Amino acid sequence: MSGLRRVLVANRGEIATRIIRACHTAGIEAVAVYSDADERARWVRMADDAVHIGRSAARKSYLDVEALLKAARSTEVDAVHPGYGFLSESAEFARSIAEAGLVFIGPPASAIEQMGDKATARRTAESAEVPVVPGSGPVTELADAEKVAASVGYPMLVKAAAGGGGRGIRPVRNGAELAEVLPTAQAEAQSAFGDGTIYLERAVPGARHVEVQVLADDHGTVLHLYERDCSVQRRRQKLIEEAPAPALQESTREAITSAAVRLARHVGYRNAGTVEFLVDSEENFFFIEMNTRVQVEHPITEMITGVDIVAEQLRIAGGRALSITQDEVQRRGTAVELRINAEDPERDFTPTPGDIAEFELPGGPGVRIDTGMAQGDRISPFYDSLIAKLACWGADRDQAYARARQALEEFHVSGVSSTIDLHRQLTVAEDLRKGPVHVNWLEQWLGD
């Protein structure tokens, strides 16, 4: 196949609008899907065609493989883009799309399986000579876990093998906590992910969360688009991301990006993906997982490299080579992304669904807004609470944050609570302005 003609966007919200725009720019028709709750949504209006796929609950619509396959067949698309979340990292979904004779705009099902199970991914990284955090393979019995603890040392993390997005992780500081947490973690993993397998890793105190964006085509090219720092997070959910990672030595940058490319090549990866690492205070880095999809924070990588990641996804899926080589990827300036969520930080970040009464968006040089919302739209209780992503670019880090602060002053949302005021405080926080910060910094800052 030399190119794509018509794509089903198997997602909702801002990522659906992002994919639809990329399709239209490339001359490709886009078909949206929607649940009962999303019938009048912005991305539905933007698409060339739209198909109702079920009830408001995600498991009866956006997570319904058969409903999505039916929508794809009825609209005669030749490819399906899963976006992020929902079924984007489901090997079963990717395989079902391929078996239906359609193109899955993502990696092969085999790569999703290999990297989706975190314990398997650890072993794969080791075989690719990528550093991993000291830890274990799958653990089922307390006696085995205690042997690992004796070898690795406390504090440790008990992690769900099928987890992701910061979920399925529980810290333990000693043997008593391990004995208490292990059966609970196994039960939670089975309930949340359908797989009770857990493994153990040593905790890395004071670590930064640094991830590398990779792209791979079917013509032998695997390249990176540099790295992002995602250390500003609460309960392992990211609030602010920055590209490139601040104050990272060039030797570390070269080593970590090379490791990400090496791993992607080792697993026969295709399309866009992100390899995530922990970086300690001495800039030793350790692989933690690979996200086999486009990331929420991909805009800041686009801003510093000028590469349209979703457009490249469409090229790869259409059988074409990447439009760039590694030597042509140039890094310029700094970009920061702030996630504007319908949540109340004063009430432990409780989601605040409701109608958006006022929606005034900022503008100016270097300012980008990605959103699936418009004034009068409803933030649904059935899905995540993201209202918009505010991404700001500057010639240097100071300018990027200055533009972010100005954009936040212009950004107004009413009808629902939001994290705008919190971001106004964060972007003037002295620790963050000096940078970099570690993954526990935000929770400590909120506690103070």
Side-chain angles (χ1 to χ4, degrees), residues 2-76:
S2 60
L4 303 177
R5 175 188 58 84
R6 191 169 167 89
V7 169
L8 184 83
V9 183
N11 214 299
R12 66 178 301 279
E14 68 86 13
I15 192 60
T17 65
R18 171 73 182 91
I19 297 166
I20 291 168
R21 285 195 180 108
C23 287
H24 287 167
T25 301
I28 299 169
E29 293 182 356
V31 178
V33 295
Y34 63 91
S35 67
D36 287 349
D38 290 334
E39 183 177 3
R40 297 178 179 84
R42 183 181 184 185
W43 65 94
V44 176
R45 301 192 301 268
M46 289 174 61
D48 300 286
D49 195 359
V51 181
H52 176 254
I53 54 169
R55 304 282 292 278
S56 297
R59 63 185 176 84
K60 296 184 178 181
S61 51
Y62 299 104
L63 290 172
D64 188 334
V65 173
E66 287 304 315
L68 292 166
L69 286 171
K70 182 179 178 181
R73 286 191 290 262
S74 68
T75 54
E76 299 182 337

Side-chain angles (χ1 to χ4, degrees), residues 216-415:
D217 62 23
D218 284 318
H219 301 270
T221 299
V222 183
L223 57 79
H224 69 81
L225 300 179
Y226 291 98
E227 82 290 348
R228 301 180 286 256
D229 190 308
C230 307
S231 301
V232 182
Q233 50 186 261
R234 172 185 170 273
R235 296 180 182 172
R236 298 184 176 84
Q237 298 300 307
K238 304 166 186 173
L239 268 74
I240 298 178
E241 298 99 2
E242 187 174 334
L248 195 68
Q249 296 179 24
E250 282 301 320
S251 58
T252 305
R253 176 170 288 118
E254 182 177 346
I256 201 170
T257 53
S258 296
V261 169
R262 189 164 63 249
L263 179 60
R265 194 180 297 279
H266 182 76
V267 299
Y269 201 79
R270 185 183 70 239
N271 216 270
T274 301
V275 186
E276 305 203 355
F277 299 91
L278 291 178
V279 179
D280 69 16
S281 58
E282 296 180 352
E283 296 204 359
N284 300 303
F285 61 87
F286 307 97
F287 167 81
I288 48 175
E289 65 178 342
M290 183 175 190
N291 289 310
T292 55
R293 53 173 167 78
V294 67
Q295 290 279 92
V296 178
E297 56 271 27
H298 76 274
I300 54 175
T301 294
E302 295 182 329
M303 295 177 95
I304 67 164
T305 63
V307 177
D308 185 329
I309 292 171
V310 180
E312 295 299 327
Q313 287 191 286
L314 297 173
R315 287 181 65 93
I316 296 164
R320 301 167 66 188
L322 287 163
S323 68
I324 48 168
T325 65
Q326 187 67 73
D327 290 343
E328 292 171 329
V329 178
Q330 300 295 317
R331 190 179 82 243
R332 177 174 171 266
T334 294
V336 58
E337 178 178 290
L338 315 176
R339 300 193 191 190
I340 310 301
N341 296 325
E343 297 172 352
D344 186 351
E346 296 299 320
R347 294 192 298 134
D348 197 31
F349 292 83
T350 301
T352 58
D355 295 329
I356 299 176
E358 179 187 27
F359 199 48
E360 294 183 12
L361 301 179
V367 176
R368 168 176 168 174
I369 300 289
D370 284 34
T371 183
M373 298 293 157
Q375 188 167 309
D377 285 353
R378 171 174 286 272
I379 302 294
S380 172
F382 295 101
Y383 316 114
D384 70 73
S385 60
L386 184 67
I387 300 174
K389 302 183 313 196
L390 167 63
C392 297
W393 178 89
D396 55 29
R397 192 168 185 263
D398 287 342
Q399 186 180 54
Y401 271 91
R403 286 175 168 173
R405 288 189 289 272
Q406 176 58 36
L408 288 166
E409 291 304 313
E410 298 177 23
F411 206 145
H412 297 287
V413 176
S414 68

Side-chain angles (χ1 to χ4, degrees), residues 142-152:
L142 177 60
D144 294 331
E146 289 173 336
K147 290 178 182 178
V148 175
S151 172
V152 171

